[in-house]
Amino acid sequence: MAHRLGGRRKNVKKGFQFTFMVVGTSGTGRTTFVNTLCDSNVLPNKICDNPEDAHIEEGINIKPISVDLDEDGVRISLTIVDTPGFGDNIDNERCFHEIVAYLERQYDDILAEESRIKRNARFRDNRVHALLYFISPTGHALREIDIELMRRLSPRVNVIPVVGRADSLTPQELKDFKRRIMEDIEHYSIPIYNFPYDVEEDDEDTVEENSELRALLPFAIIGSDEEINVNGRIVRGRQYPWGAVEVDNPKHSDFGRLRSALLSSHLQDLKEITHDFLYENYRTEKLSRTVSGGDQEDASLNAEDMASQSVRLKEEQLKKEEEKLREIELKVQREIQEKRAELSSKEEALRSLEARLAQAQLAD
Amino acid sequence: MSSNTLNSEPAAAALDNYVGFDTITQQIEKKLLKRGFHFNVMVVGQSGLGKSTLVNTIFASHLIESKARLAADEPPRQTTEIQTVSHLIEEHGVRLRLNIVDTPGYGDQVNNENCWEPIIKYIKDQHSAYLRKELTATRDRYIQDSRVHCCLFFIGPTGHALKPIDIVVLKKLSEVVNVVPVIAKSDSLTLEERQAFKQRIKAELVFHNIKLYPYESDEDDEQEQALNESIRELLPFAIVGSERNVIIDGKAVRGRKNRYGVINVESEEHCEFIYLRNFLTRTHLQDLIETTAQIHYEAFRAKQLLAIRESTHPASAQPSVASPTATMLSSPMAPTVMSPSTIGSPATMGSPAQSQKYVL
C-alpha cells in the first residue's frame, strides 16, 4: 500500500512504536517465541524448580516489557505484554476478564487524554496492536478455552492465532489441524486478523502477499533460544535424537513469516486497524453508555482503573482551583486599588481641611 | 511323636521318590487358560494427548477410537464422560478380555472444578459392584471383574511442571487405583528437557506424597525389588504412540515421520514406549490385577463394611441383623449376609439402584 511506504520513509528516523500481547497456557511456547523474536532473553522462562509451588494457583499476571529492535535499519520500540498464568488454574473464568480489562484500560487512557483541554504531545500510547494467541498442538481442533478467549478479545484487539510448539506434528497432521482450526473460527464467527485485502482496490503484490499469509493461518511456530550445529552450520534450533529443527527454516516453522508480517510488512496495518476501527468502536460504545445511563458503569472499574481516573480528576480539580485563585487575586488587587483611591481622595480632603483650618487660624 | 498342630511352622520333610505334585503349576495354568483373563485399563488426560493412540499402540491393534472433536458444528463436551469398550484378544492360546475405559471431556473446559468426580465415582462403582456380587448368598463361581486395574495418567509435555489440576487428580486417583503416569507426546521435548521435566515431576510427586504403582512390598524378593526400583526411576514414562508404520533400515516399525526425521516408537533411544509396554503387559500385568484386589479393593471393602456396621448398630458391636430397614436398603450392598442366621433371606438381596453414598 502506497501510503504505508510513505509512512515508513517518514518514520525511519524516529522509529516505530508497536505493542503486542502474547497469550497462551503454560508450555505452549510463548516465552521462547518472544525471546526468539527479539534474539535475546527478554522474558524469563518459567521457574519451577521448587516442587512446593506446583499446586499453587496463581492468577494471571499481565506484565509489559519494553525492548528496542533494529529491523532492517528501522528502529522499532517494541512493547511486549506477557500473560503468564493464563489457563493454568483449575477454574479459568477470571483470566478473560483481566485481559479484556487491561486492553480497555489502555483505550480509556487514550480517551481521557484526547478529551483534555490541553493535551500532552508526548503522551505514551500503550494500546495493544496485536494479540498472538498460542493454541496447544493437540492436532484436533480448538478447545473451549481457545474459542472463548478469541471470541471475547477480538472486539478489542487484532487476534492472530498461532500454533505453539508445532514440532510434534507431522506435515499432514499440521495441515489438518490448521484446517480444522480455521473451520472452528469460521463456525463461531470469530473476527480474527486475517490480513485483509481488497481484490478490487489493492495492487496484485499486496493481494498475493496477504492471501499467502492468510493461507498460513494459524502460524505454526517453533522457537528456540539455543543454537545447534546442523551439518556444519550454526543455526537457532532444537536437537532431537531423530533430527534437528531449524527455527528460521520456512519448511520447518512459520516463525520467519510471522516475524516479518508483525514487525515490518503489517505493522502499520495492525496499528491503523487498532486506532481507526477497534478503538473507535470502543469509544462509541463507552460514550454512548455514559450518555444513556451513567450508572451503568460496568464492573470492570477495578482499583487501578479508579486510581488513574482519580489522578485525572485531581488534575482537573487543581486546574480549577488555580483559576479560582487567580480570580481572587485579581479581585483583591482591584479592591486594593479602590481602597488606595479612596485613601488618596480622603487624604486630599484632609489636607484641604487642614489648609482651611490653618487659614482660619491665621485670620484670627 | 511330634505333635504338629496346624498353627506351628511345619518341619521340612525329604522325599525318597519323585511324586509329581510339581505339576500343579501346569494344572493351574490349564484351568486359568480355560477361564481367560480380565484386564481393565483406564486412560485419563486432556483431549489431544494421544491417549487412544497409545492404547492402540500398546496392544498393537485398533481398539479404541479417538474422541476428538473434529467437526466445527460438534459442541465441546461440558463434563467428563466415561466410555468403555471391551475387546477379546488372544496370543498363543491365552485369551485376554480387555476393557478400556476412556474419559473424554476431562480437563477440557474453561472451568474444570470437579471434573475428576465422574472418574473417581466410576472406579468406586466397580469396587462396589464387585462387593455386592461377593456378598450375595448365591454368587457366581467366578465374579466378572470390572474393577479398574490400571489408570494411565497423561501429563502434557509442557516441559515446566505439573499443573495444579494434575496434582489434585493424581492425589485422588492414587488413593483408589494403581496410577501409572506418562508424559504424552514426548517427541516435542528434547532429551535434556525430558530429563529436567521428569526430575521436577518426581520432586513434586514426592512433595505431595502421591503414591504411585509399583508399591513397596515386603513379599518382594531382591530381583523384584530391583525391577520395581528401576521402574520407579523411569516414571513418568516419556512416550510416543503411533498406529502407523515407518520403514527404518528395511524394517517396518511403528513410528512417525515428520519434517526433520523419523521417530521410531519402538526404539529406546527415541522414547520409553517399550519400557511402558513391557511393564504393563510382560512383567506387571498379573501384579496390577492382584494389587487392585488386595490393596485397593480391600481398603474400599473394609471402609464400606465398617460404615454399614456403624450405621445399623452404632452402640453395639454386633454384626448387622436381617431386618429389611430402610437404612440397609439404601446402602449399596446387602449387609444382612454378614450374620450367619440370615443366609438365604432373599428379601434383602439385590438392593435397588439407589443413590450410592460412599464413605470418603
Side-chain angles (χ1 to χ4, degrees):
Chain A
M1 276 189 266
H3 77 266
R4 205 194 318 143
L5 287 172
R8 266 189 92 153
R9 259 183 261 129
K10 193 174 81 172
N11 284 324
V12 155
K13 270 210 193 138
K14 205 167 72 173
F16 290 98
Q17 194 276 326
F18 188 67
T19 305
F20 72 91
M21 189 186 253
V22 283
V23 180
T25 59
S26 161
T28 44
R30 239 176 33 240
T31 309
T32 309
F33 167 75
V34 170
N35 292 342
T36 316
L37 188 87
C38 305
D39 216 352
S40 69
N41 262 11
V42 170
L43 295 179
N45 276 311
K46 182 170 171 179
I47 301 168
C48 25
D49 291 325
N50 195 351
E52 300 164 7
D53 295 336
H55 67 284
I56 297 174
E57 294 185 75
E58 301 180 0
I60 187 176
N61 181 9
I62 304 183
K63 317 182 297 182
I65 294 188
S66 292
V67 133
D68 281 328
L69 287 189
D70 191 296
E71 184 80 4
D72 290 338
V74 182
R75 261 192 58 229
I76 302 185
S77 167
L78 202 57
T79 305
I80 303 166
V81 187
D82 193 13
T83 56
F86 172 81
D88 290 337
N89 295 345
I90 297 181
D91 181 358
N92 295 304
E93 275 294 338
R94 285 217 70 215
C95 296
F96 306 124
H97 171 84
E98 304 229 5
I99 300 179
V100 172
Y102 179 87
L103 294 171
E104 288 184 350
R105 265 203 300 280
Q106 314 313 314
Y107 284 154
D108 283 336
D109 284 349
I110 297 277
L111 193 56
E113 181 59 31
E114 276 184 357
S115 329
R116 261 198 236 278
I117 303 167
K118 182 159 181 243
R119 292 195 257 190
N120 181 359
R122 277 183 284 143
F123 185 83
R124 189 168 171 81
D125 181 0
N126 284 325
R127 288 176 293 189
V128 178
H129 304 120
L131 188 148
L132 295 176
Y133 181 67
F134 284 71
I135 299 170
S136 228
T138 60
H140 293 176
L142 289 180
R143 288 200 179 137
E144 195 190 4
I145 196 174
D146 303 331
I147 298 170
E148 268 313 295
L149 177 112
M150 291 200 282
R151 207 196 232 163
R152 290 207 215 185
L153 262 55
S154 39
R156 294 283 175 254
V157 67
N158 293 312
V159 173
I160 302 178
V162 154
V163 174
R165 297 181 73 130
D167 23 354
S168 61
L169 296 165
T170 65
Q172 185 61 41
E173 287 169 351
L174 183 60
K175 195 160 136 231
D176 291 336
F177 188 37
K178 283 192 183 188
R179 179 181 47 87
R180 280 191 283 260
I181 290 176
M182 296 314 285
E183 277 172 12
D184 269 346
I185 287 176
E186 169 94 26
H187 183 256
Y188 287 95
S189 307
I190 303 173
I192 58 166
Y193 178 75
N194 62 354
F195 302 96
Y197 58 87
D198 193 332
V199 186
E200 323 245 306
E201 284 194 14
D202 295 330
D203 58 87
E204 265 188 41
D205 286 337
T206 311
V207 171
E208 199 186 310
E209 186 191 9
N210 280 354
S211 49
E212 264 179 36
L213 286 170
R214 188 185 285 188
L216 271 184
L217 278 172
F219 294 96
I221 299 293
I222 302 169
S224 172
D225 35 26
E226 280 174 15
E227 292 182 330
I228 56 170
N229 188 333
V230 178
N231 295 335
R233 287 177 298 133
I234 306 283
V235 286
R236 291 193 297 188
R238 290 168 66 72
Q239 183 71 54
Y240 292 108
W242 48 85
V245 183
E246 296 169 50
V247 165
D248 297 303
N249 181 340
K251 290 204 210 103
H252 290 182
S253 157
D254 296 335
F255 172 78
R257 308 293 295 277
L258 175 62
R259 183 180 203 277
S260 80
L262 207 59
L263 297 182
S264 64
S265 59
H266 287 75
L267 188 144
Q268 273 306 114
D269 197 33
L270 287 163
K271 287 180 78 164
E272 275 168 24
I273 293 185
T274 307
H275 181 73
D276 295 335
F277 183 63
L278 296 165
Y279 169 64
E280 283 303 308
N281 279 350
Y282 176 71
R283 190 174 173 281
T284 314
E285 276 178 37
K286 178 132 197 230
L287 291 179
S288 54
R289 241 187 290 147
T290 43
V291 165
S292 62
D295 305 297
Q296 283 167 15
E297 296 270 42
D298 45 309
S300 61
L301 262 180
N302 51 19
E304 240 181 90
D305 218 2
M306 296 256 223
S308 63
Q309 279 208 2
S310 69
V311 162
R312 262 176 264 134
L313 280 169
K314 283 204 190 110
E315 281 182 28
E316 317 278 74
Q317 271 181 0
L318 273 169
K319 269 187 223 133
K320 280 195 210 126
E321 282 181 357
E322 274 177 32
E323 278 178 25
K324 270 198 214 131
L325 280 170
R326 251 176 269 135
E327 273 177 40
I328 292 174
E329 246 191 74
L330 284 169
K331 222 170 75 181
V332 164
Q333 281 186 357
R334 251 182 286 132
E335 280 183 13
I336 292 176
Q337 277 181 359
E338 275 175 32
K339 289 270 157 72
R340 271 208 207 116
E342 244 188 74
L343 188 66
S344 56
S345 65
K346 289 246 165 85
E347 277 184 15
E348 270 226 47
L350 186 65
R351 258 181 262 132
S352 64
L353 216 80
E354 280 183 9
R356 274 198 293 159
L357 195 65
Q359 264 188 351
Q361 279 187 345
L362 271 172
D364 277 0
Chain B
M1 208 154 62
S2 53
S3 48
N4 269 347
T5 61
L6 277 172
N7 289 331
S8 63
E9 197 58 43
L15 303 172
D16 301 324
N17 271 326
Y18 172 68
V19 176
F21 61 81
D22 61 349
T23 59
I24 191 171
T25 49
Q26 286 139 318
Q27 298 168 30
I28 292 175
E29 204 182 304
K30 200 157 146 222
K31 270 268 163 66
L32 289 175
L33 280 179
K34 259 206 291 189
R35 209 186 308 165
F37 300 89
H38 257 125
F39 187 58
N40 306 320
V41 63
M42 180 184 247
V43 285
V44 176
Q46 276 188 319
S47 99
L49 290 180
K51 301 187 293 291
S52 315
T53 307
L54 181 67
V55 170
N56 294 341
T57 319
I58 293 176
F59 291 101
S61 75
H62 191 82
L63 299 178
I64 62 174
E65 289 292 336
S66 161
K67 308 294 183 305
R69 182 184 73 87
L70 294 173
D73 45 18
E74 203 188 305
R77 279 176 232 264
Q78 291 305 311
T79 56
T80 309
E81 294 169 22
I82 307 280
Q83 296 181 4
T84 322
V85 274
S86 201
H87 290 278
L88 192 57
I89 51 182
E90 183 172 331
E91 253 185 347
H92 297 138
V94 178
R95 283 171 307 131
L96 181 66
R97 176 151 198 142
L98 185 62
N99 284 335
I100 304 160
V101 185
D102 199 356
T103 55
Y106 164 82
D108 285 335
Q109 287 91 41
V110 172
N111 181 357
N112 288 312
E113 293 276 359
N114 302 324
C115 66
W116 52 84
E117 281 183 0
I119 301 176
I120 304 284
K121 180 173 184 303
Y122 176 84
I123 296 174
K124 289 190 173 172
D125 280 351
Q126 307 317 305
H127 285 312
S128 156
Y130 195 89
L131 183 59
R132 216 178 316 151
K133 289 202 199 114
E134 220 187 30
L135 292 177
T136 46
T138 45
R139 57 183 184 178
D140 303 326
R141 186 187 298 189
Y142 301 118
I143 301 174
Q144 290 267 39
D145 189 0
S146 65
R147 297 170 294 189
V148 179
H149 300 128
C150 174
C151 178
L152 289 173
F153 186 83
F154 286 70
I155 299 169
T158 63
H160 295 319
L162 287 176
K163 296 202 171 120
I165 190 175
D166 293 336
I167 294 178
V168 167
V169 179
L170 276 170
K171 249 195 220 167
K172 291 192 188 277
L173 281 177
S174 58
E175 287 164 9
V176 292
V177 70
N178 297 326
V179 178
V180 177
V182 297
I183 298 176
K185 295 195 170 174
S186 61
D187 52 341
S188 69
L189 296 168
T190 64
L191 292 181
E192 298 90 37
E193 288 170 346
R194 215 187 269 181
Q195 270 309 109
F197 190 34
K198 270 203 205 189
Q199 294 313 318
R200 277 194 285 264
I201 293 177
K202 280 214 254 264
E204 284 156 9
L205 293 172
V206 164
F207 175 75
H208 286 279
N209 225 349
I210 295 174
K211 295 263 172 287
L212 295 172
Y213 182 86
Y215 309 117
E216 302 201 346
S217 161
D218 310 320
E219 291 180 6
D220 291 338
D221 59 39
E222 268 191 40
Q223 209 186 18
E224 284 166 343
Q225 273 183 6
L227 179 60
N228 284 351
E229 256 315 298
S230 69
I231 297 287
R232 273 186 225 114
E233 268 303 303
L234 264 184
L235 285 180
F237 294 100
I239 48 100
V240 178
S242 174
E243 293 189 60
R244 281 195 220 104
N245 287 345
V246 290
I247 309 284
I248 297 184
D249 294 336
K251 249 180 45 169
V253 289
R254 255 88 52 80
R256 288 169 63 72
K257 183 167 170 23
N258 55 27
R259 285 157 285 180
Y260 9 89
V262 184
I263 305 171
N264 181 353
V265 168
E266 299 177 35
S267 154
E268 287 104 1
E269 290 173 20
H270 287 184
C271 71
E272 292 164 0
F273 168 77
I274 290 291
Y275 297 119
L276 172 69
R277 195 268 315 270
N278 293 352
F279 167 69
L280 277 186
T281 59
R282 296 185 195 182
T283 57
H284 286 73
L285 182 61
Q286 193 274 341
D287 191 55
L288 281 164
I289 299 173
E290 207 174 84
T291 48
T292 305
Q294 287 176 353
I295 297 182
H296 297 293
Y297 173 69
E298 284 302 307
F300 175 85
R301 183 179 181 277
K303 266 200 202 137
Q304 285 302 122
L305 298 180
L306 277 172
I308 289 154
R309 194 181 300 187
E310 298 265 311
S311 68
T312 53
H313 288 273
S316 74
Q318 271 190 0
S320 44
V321 177
S323 45
T325 56
T327 52
M328 280 189 223
L329 279 176
S330 67
S331 68
M333 40 241 90
T336 54
V337 188
M338 282 192 65
S339 61
S341 60
T342 58
I343 288 178
S345 51
T348 49
M349 296 312 137
S351 59
Q354 309 217 343
S355 64
Q356 318 247 318
K357 292 183 184 38
Y358 294 118
V359 178
L360 290 166

